[in-house]
Amino acid sequence: MAATIRDIRDRTGLSLATISKYLNGGNVLPRNRQLIEEAIEELHYEVNEIARGLVTNRTKTIGVLVYDVQCIFVGRMLHHLGQALHEKGYGMLICDSCNDLCIEEKNLQFLLSRKVDGILVFAVSLDGKFLEAANRAEVPVVLLDRAFRDKEYDCIEIDNRTAMLRATNKLISRNHRRIALIASDIEYTGMERMKGFDDALGDAGITVPDEYRVRGRHSFELGYRGMRTLLCLPDPPTAVILGNYDTTLGGIMAVNESGCNCPNDISIIGFDDLLMSKVIRPKLWIVSQPMEEMSNRAVEMLLNRISGQAEGGPLRISFSAQIREGESIRKL
């Protein structure tokens, strides 16, 4: 039979109130803490989180809504989030929205029904209406990677617009003028990156044909199809920027299949410094997001909201992205 709190009482001689206080994270005298911890180890006592949650109104569980669990960027972020939450004694309940607004809303209701203490959101939606149920339930929410266009929530992101402006300027400084971009015109990150692309071209007085802007949803298919289309144009670009990790994968495969040489035939800048950028040749120029730092900050922000330590209105923190040099750009 599993040990109970009464077994700890009998072993230590302490009151149930003192033991309960310790188990729920309260401060007890050092000697009492030692006695309780020794008894827990000897008795192999395991905390009943469900029972404790009924008392504390906390489940020590964080819900995570993701737009697509197949996305490699999301997978890496989940890894870092899981580590950060584990260190704080929390678990994760992950729901995949499959890039579907209706599924995203149902997933939110599911997480609320499971009494999660807070929710981290990689949003499909461009607006925050679907999170009103979380507001009514007073469940804190922190957005990751994507902000909303209509309402402010606590949010951790990179400065997407500036990151893309700097990437485009790397090509311009190497005398490229026929520059193309493959990026989303559906998702927040892609739209911000397109703005940065246009900012850089406008600052340099460069005009490119509309077919150099390949639009869609960030995906392997968009990168693959978009790169094949660009390479077959009568006047193809000399350089292409790929708007996220998935499009970078697709774009690189299309270049390899075409027989074109990078960077002699086409220069490339990719996005997200994950496994691919470390193994393919030539080594890619890459826009690199600080994923671990973003994840740690998001967990810190959410737990501060849960504990009541954070006060005031929504916070929006934008990290800077680095551009890691490679061998995939040719100077003209």
Side-chain angles (χ1 to χ4, degrees):
M1 182 180 295
T4 68
I5 190 173
R6 289 180 174 79
D7 295 321
I8 298 175
R9 177 198 61 188
D10 296 340
R11 181 63 63 92
T12 62
L14 299 173
S15 69
L16 290 175
T18 298
I19 299 167
S20 178
K21 184 178 181 182
Y22 168 85
L23 294 175
N24 290 312
N27 292 320
V28 298
L29 295 173
R31 175 57 181 165
N32 292 343
R33 181 183 300 110
Q34 181 180 351
L35 288 171
I36 294 169
E37 289 175 351
E38 289 175 352
I40 287 173
E41 184 175 355
E42 292 170 3
L43 295 168
H44 304 291
Y45 174 80
E46 295 183 2
V47 177
N48 186 328
E49 293 290 355
I50 296 175
R52 182 161 71 175
L54 293 173
V55 175
T56 64
N57 201 30
R58 292 283 182 264
T59 62
K60 303 293 283 187
T61 303
I62 299 300
V64 187
L65 281 176
V66 301
Y67 48 78
D68 183 0
V69 78
Q70 294 184 98
C71 174
I72 297 174
F73 167 79
V74 169
R76 177 59 65 89
M77 291 291 286
L78 288 172
H79 168 74
H80 292 309
L81 291 169
Q83 286 187 319
L85 288 167
H86 176 73
E87 290 174 2
K88 300 296 184 180
Y90 282 79
M92 284 195 306
L93 185 55
I94 302 167
C95 289
D96 184 5
S97 298
C98 304
N99 281 312
D100 187 298
L101 297 173
C102 293
I103 294 176
E104 181 174 62
E105 188 167 356
K106 290 177 181 177
N107 283 341
L108 176 70
Q109 295 297 333
F110 172 82
L111 291 175
L112 294 176
S113 73
R114 293 305 184 272
K115 305 297 182 184
V116 296
D117 295 339
I119 303 176
L120 296 164
V121 178
F122 296 82
V124 179
S125 178
L126 291 173
D127 59 64
K129 184 177 181 181
F130 79 99
L131 288 177
E132 289 178 358
N135 295 337
R136 291 193 296 270
E138 298 184 341
V139 175
V141 170
V142 172
L143 307 182
L144 268 159
D145 186 42
R146 301 175 176 181
F148 292 138
R149 60 188 176 187
D150 68 329
K151 189 169 184 179
E152 289 293 324
Y153 280 84
D154 287 336
C155 180
I156 301 293
E157 61 178 357
I158 66 162
D159 186 343
N160 289 283
R161 189 167 183 168
T162 299
M164 185 57 75
L165 180 146
R166 291 176 58 217
T168 309
N169 282 337
K170 292 294 183 183
L171 295 168
I172 293 172
S173 69
R174 286 158 177 77
N175 299 322
H176 287 272
R177 296 296 181 268
R178 303 204 316 268
I179 305 170
L181 171 66
I182 302 175
S184 174
D185 63 348
I186 298 170
E187 296 135 321
Y188 168 81
T189 51
M191 291 188 289
E192 288 297 301
R193 291 168 191 174
M194 280 193 169
K195 291 175 184 177
F197 178 71
D198 289 335
D199 289 343
L201 295 183
D203 292 343
I206 297 172
T207 301
V208 299
D210 190 56
E211 55 263 34
Y212 279 18
R213 295 177 178 84
V214 180
R215 304 172 176 90
R217 183 181 293 279
H218 277 152
S219 63
F220 175 91
E221 291 75 17
L222 176 65
Y224 181 80
R225 174 179 50 80
M227 184 65 80
R228 286 180 62 90
T229 299
L230 290 170
L231 293 175
C232 291
L233 290 174
D235 191 20
T238 61
V240 179
I241 306 174
L242 294 151
N244 84 331
Y245 186 76
D246 297 299
T247 58
T248 301
L249 281 175
I252 293 298
M253 179 170 284
V255 170
N256 290 341
E257 289 183 358
S258 73
C260 290
N261 177 272
C262 173
N264 292 331
D265 299 318
I266 188 77
S267 293
I268 294 174
I269 296 182
F271 229 96
D272 291 328
D273 191 15
L274 296 169
L275 180 62
M276 176 196 63
S277 64
K278 297 176 174 61
V279 299
I280 69 168
R281 292 294 179 269
K283 182 180 179 182
L284 282 182
W285 279 75
I286 285 284
V287 181
S288 177
Q289 302 188 64
M291 289 180 275
E292 184 172 2
E293 293 86 348
M294 292 167 66
S295 299
N296 290 341
R297 193 61 183 273
V299 168
E300 177 187 11
M301 183 182 289
L302 185 62
L303 297 188
N304 284 342
R305 290 295 188 190
I306 292 169
S307 66
Q309 294 181 43
E311 298 180 353
L315 298 174
R316 187 166 177 174
I317 299 174
S318 294
F319 284 79
S320 295
Q322 294 183 341
I323 299 181
R324 301 197 186 278
E325 293 190 13
E327 300 164 346
S328 59
I329 298 176
R330 179 170 69 101
K331 187 172 183 178
L332 299 181

